[in-house]
Amino acid sequence: MQCFFDTCSDAIEHATKTKTFGVYHSDNSDPNLLIHIHECCEVFLCLSGGKSFLIDDKVYDVKPGDLFIINQFEAHKVIPDSEARFSRYIMHVHPTFLYSVSEGDIDLSDCFYRADGKNKFTLSKAELDELCSLFEAMRTEKPYGDEIYKKIRATELLLALNRVSATHSERISQAKKHKTVQLAIDYINNNYSQELTLDMVAKNTYVSVNQLCRLFTRYCGTTVTKYITSKRITEAKKRLEEGKSVTDTAFMCGFNDYANFIRVFKKAVGVPPGKYKKFSE
């Protein structure tokens, strides 16, 4: 089973056609410089020569050992450093494969659909070595049981990615240790479908707006307003996947202005809600 390809487009085509995965490794400075989305989730591991990575409305610096995890709805493009060799591994994984290798409470798609919206993870040497080893293991052709072997290695890689994501994305879980912040998170989660203002959240957590904002940013790594928007978009995705109309979804998730919902959803997800709904059908 071939899963390593000479071009990124070939890896995407294979993953899309077979609903499995495709891997690409390159030392050339020839990435797709256009902002794009595709049907597959993407794993991007920079070994050297990265400069910046645009994902939706976020711009990240790229250093050797940086890992980027992107779902199929996040528009993105990478920019290499023109003065250095641009070495990277890229893996495209179809959502169907993610769900096929998940079992029980272990959902291997979790790292791609993060509640905190985090895309970048700076790896330790041990984490980097493990991922590189798993990538390379999928390059070798086995004389017997090759397809099974490759799928096992891909599953191991997905397990490793989810461990990295869980290890590095601890701010929300740490926030639960702070009573005020946990009260704010609970209030937002229970009332995202209604009108929500900073004053309302602060009043229901028994602190001033300034204190709420300071604590929330410290323990969650984001602002209260951004968390509210993230929660609403996350719930909107669920409603659209369930078959709800775009209009109903907007109002069910606290967006009283339909046009604003379209704008915010597209900015956060990379595609308009109507297109997202079609992808999910």
Side-chain angles (χ1 to χ4, degrees), residues 26 30 60 62 97 99 121 126 130 162 175 183 210 223 247 266-267 276:
S26 179
D30 56 353
Y60 298 96
V62 183
F97 182 76
Y99 302 138
F121 304 90
E130 179 185 17
N162 276 274
L183 283 172
N210 286 340
T223 66
T247 301
K266 183 177 180 180
K267 182 178 180 181
Y276 183 94

Side-chain angles (χ1 to χ4, degrees), residues 10 52 57-58 63 65 68 80 88 98 109-110 115 129 177 186 193 211 245 261 270:
D10 285 343
S52 60
D57 61 343
K58 297 166 285 189
K63 304 295 183 185
F68 294 86
R88 71 274 193 198
L98 291 173
S109 71
D110 278 350
D129 290 345
K177 299 176 183 178
D186 288 344
S193 62
Q211 187 176 6
S245 70
F261 171 60

Side-chain angles (χ1 to χ4, degrees), residues 1 41 64 114 152 205 212 223 234:
M1 171 187 175
C41 296
R114 304 153 307 282
I152 290 173
T205 51
L212 170 67
T223 66
T234 298

Side-chain angles (χ1 to χ4, degrees), residues 258-269:
Y258 180 80
N260 183 53
F261 171 60
I262 302 295
R263 181 183 62 79
V264 172
F265 190 97
K266 183 177 180 180
K267 182 178 180 181
V269 180

Side-chain angles (χ1 to χ4, degrees), residues 201-253:
V201 178
K203 180 179 179 180
N204 282 275
T205 51
Y206 314 108
V207 293
S208 68
V209 169
N210 286 340
Q211 187 176 6
L212 170 67
C213 292
R214 178 176 59 80
L215 290 172
F216 205 94
T217 300
R218 175 184 175 186
Y219 285 92
C220 294
T222 189
T223 66
V224 178
T225 301
K226 287 182 178 179
Y227 182 83
I228 292 171
T229 299
S230 174
K231 175 64 178 176
R232 284 172 167 166
I233 293 298
T234 298
E235 294 299 324
K237 287 181 178 180
K238 293 178 183 177
R239 300 298 182 276
L240 293 170
E241 290 166 6
E242 292 168 358
K244 298 291 192 300
S245 70
V246 175
T247 301
D248 288 345
T249 297
F251 289 102
M252 291 171 69
C253 296

